[in-house]
Amino acid sequence: MTHNQTCPSWSEAPPGWNWLAQDEDGRWFWYRVRPVLGAGGGIWRSPSRAQQFACQAEPNSNWFDTLRERPAEAS
């Protein structure tokens, strides 16, 4: 996926990576553990080995509302 405003599809998520969120700059990431809002703002935080780039979209000023947990039917 490249520049778009929709979430990446859960069908593209690595197995066991059950969280998805977008940073303010538009980058979407998969997470193995639930990420937290970055103290400096604009990003989600998790251990580096527990996050993986998913795709690039347009910057999003509401990035802090993008955290999604994998739906049960997508497991």
Side-chain angles (χ1 to χ4, degrees):
M1 274 190 203
T2 55
H3 293 78
N4 64 51
Q5 278 307 109
T6 61
C7 293
S9 169
W10 283 105
S11 66
E12 299 172 21
W17 294 63
N18 296 325
W19 297 93
L20 174 67
Q22 184 184 36
D23 288 346
E24 187 174 26
D25 66 4
R27 293 182 301 161
W28 285 95
F29 289 90
W30 303 114
Y31 294 93
R32 258 195 279 214
V33 298
R34 184 185 178 114
V36 296
L37 293 171
I43 60 170
W44 290 92
R45 289 278 194 211
S46 105
S48 62
R49 291 186 178 177
Q51 73 177 43
Q52 179 177 323
F53 179 78
C55 74
Q56 178 69 50
E58 297 299 319
N60 182 355
S61 60
N62 293 320
W63 63 275
F64 46 83
D65 285 331
T66 63
L67 181 63
R68 304 287 181 263
E69 185 173 12
R70 182 190 292 264
E73 66 272 5
S75 296

